[in-house]
Amino acid sequence: MNVEWQDRARWLGLPILFTRYWMVDETLHRRKGFLWIKEDRIPLYRILDIQVRKTPLDRILGLGTIVLYATDVTDSEMMLKGIKKADKVASLIQNRVNEVRQRYNIHGREMYGAFSGEFERP
């Protein structure tokens, strides 16, 4: 188990929120909560698009929100909020997505249309 990246959600630049993010091998994890815990996992090869959002306050504090759009049934949009150096982290995730897709010979075009029901059988 090789943790390639990990961070916590931040509020005003401080890691005081109970949300953690980490990337292990071919999976991105998000764990939320203190007493009631919810953990989401998304295989990297399912990620279709990555977006980085920054408010003016985020830019001042060096933070950002990374939005991952994926072909996942339970969570087609995963937001990683309050991430330090969000641009570098988004590039790291994109590079890992490309590596995993090449390893398994998966192309993005094979997953397009998954949101519109294009792949459903009659």
Side-chain angles (χ1 to χ4, degrees):
M1 188 162 114
N2 180 25
V3 178
E4 298 180 48
W5 168 77
Q6 63 183 357
D7 202 355
R8 296 179 74 162
R10 298 168 190 281
W11 182 74
L12 295 177
L14 303 172
I16 57 176
L17 300 176
F18 295 104
T19 303
R20 298 178 148 242
Y21 311 106
W22 68 96
M23 186 169 50
V24 177
D25 299 325
E26 300 173 0
T27 308
L28 187 69
H29 300 257
R30 175 179 62 188
R31 184 176 185 174
K32 296 170 121 180
F34 177 66
L35 295 176
W36 287 270
I37 295 173
K38 177 184 176 187
E39 185 172 324
D40 294 314
R41 300 173 188 181
I42 185 165
L44 292 176
Y45 73 87
R46 290 185 169 265
I47 296 174
L48 295 176
D49 192 24
I50 299 173
Q51 183 181 60
V52 178
R53 298 178 185 169
K54 295 180 183 180
T55 65
L57 183 60
D58 285 341
R59 289 186 300 188
I60 291 169
L61 298 174
L63 304 174
T65 297
I66 300 171
V67 184
L68 305 172
Y69 298 95
T71 57
D72 192 60
V73 176
T74 58
D75 206 359
S76 62
E77 182 178 304
M78 181 184 279
M79 296 182 77
L80 312 178
K81 297 181 181 181
I83 301 297
K84 266 185 157 178
K85 300 179 183 176
D87 293 318
K88 289 184 180 181
V89 173
S91 294
L92 172 69
I93 294 170
Q94 184 65 59
N95 290 338
R96 287 294 295 137
V97 165
N98 292 337
E99 288 174 16
V100 170
R101 283 187 182 170
Q102 283 180 345
R103 183 179 307 142
Y104 295 113
N105 201 22
I106 297 172
H107 304 284
R109 67 180 177 269
E110 294 171 350
M111 293 185 286
Y112 292 136
F115 297 113
S116 65
E118 188 176 303
F119 295 113
E120 292 180 10
R121 296 180 190 237

